[in-house]
Each structure stands twice: as structure tokens, then as C-alpha cells.
Amino acid sequence: MERTEITERAERILHDAASTLTTPTAGECLVCFVARQLDEFGCDGTHRFISHYRDSVAPRATALLSRLSAMGACCCDCEMFMNSYEPAARLWTPVQESVDSEEWGERVDFKPPDRMPPCGTTRRGSTKPCTNWERVFRPRYR
Ligand SMILES: [Zn+2]
Ligand SMILES: [Zn+2]
């Protein structure tokens, strides 16, 4: 095989991989999709993954960005995970912290999952998250 042929083939494979990475899988919900993309590519300070999801899956959800902004994800994709959605409570694991002082006893903290389970899927065209996610509740909603 010619060297150039190998390079070309490698490039094509890379290109294919890139295009599957940035397309939501069948039924994948907005939040799982954006979480997956952020894991892979990081946040660039825009709503690029949210917009991409809307464009490819839910083009009629024109108010999506303003709705998410109202939920706290006003400036970029990763804010959605700080202000709007977090992994569902059942996915967090307890962490036993041994504290030296007797007074405090043992404190149990919970840590978020290292990897999210596969998306619970959502209806096509919907921008609702699957059951892997819960709204981050702020004091004013309590
Ligand atoms: Zn960000
Ligand atoms: Zn999901």
C-alpha cells in the first residue's frame, strides 16, 4: 500500500470519527449530549453544543437558549452543569471521610459519577433531559 493511501485512509477514519462524535446518538437527550461533548472537547465559552443539538435534533426549539439562560446557563455550555442540571441523586456515591476530630464524627459526602451512564433517551425533538439528570435547585425555588 502506498504511503499516501494510508494517510488518506487514516484521515478519512479520523474525519468519520469526528462527525460521529459531534452528532447526538439516536434518542440521546440534550444534557447527555452536551456532557459528552464537553468531556471530549471542552467548553469554548459559547453555546456551541447546545446550538448544535438544537439544530440537528430540535430545530423548532427556538426558545431553547433563552430558556436555558433563564435557568442560569446564560453564557456557555458548561454553565448548564453548574446552574441548571446535575447528575440525578441516585448516581452519586457516598464518600466516607475520616475526620480526625471526634467531635465531628464521620462525615459522609457524596460525589458525582466519574462517568455518566448511557443516556436514558428522550423523545426526538424534545429538549428535555433524560432521567440521568435533575434540575439544580436553588434556594429561591424551595
Ligand atoms: Zn463554559
Ligand atoms: Zn440523557
Side-chain angles (χ1 to χ4, degrees), residues 19-30 32-34 36-37 49-58 122 124:
S19 61
T20 51
L21 276 175
T22 49
T23 308
T25 57
E28 187 175 35
C29 75
L30 168 71
C32 287
F33 171 73
V34 175
R36 196 161 59 83
Q37 300 307 307
F49 299 130
I50 296 173
S51 309
H52 183 71
Y53 183 92
R54 187 199 51 203
D55 293 347
S56 42
V57 175
T122 187
R124 191 174 169 84

Side-chain angles (χ1 to χ4, degrees), residues 40-95:
E40 201 77 30
F41 303 107
C43 180
D44 73 346
T46 69
H47 288 116
R48 62 178 169 160
F49 299 130
I50 296 173
S51 309
H52 183 71
Y53 183 92
R54 187 199 51 203
D55 293 347
S56 42
V57 175
R60 282 190 300 166
T62 49
L64 178 62
L65 281 182
S66 52
R67 195 163 55 83
L68 286 169
S69 297
M71 284 164 59
C74 60
C75 308
C76 63
D77 291 329
C78 68
E79 282 195 327
M80 189 162 77
F81 298 94
M82 290 188 252
N83 302 322
S84 314
Y85 294 110
E86 62 183 10
R90 67 189 155 84
L91 300 171
W92 293 56
T93 41
V95 186

Side-chain angles (χ1 to χ4, degrees), residues 29 32 119-121 129-130 132-133:
C29 75
C32 287
C119 181
T121 71
C130 69
N132 287 347
W133 304 95

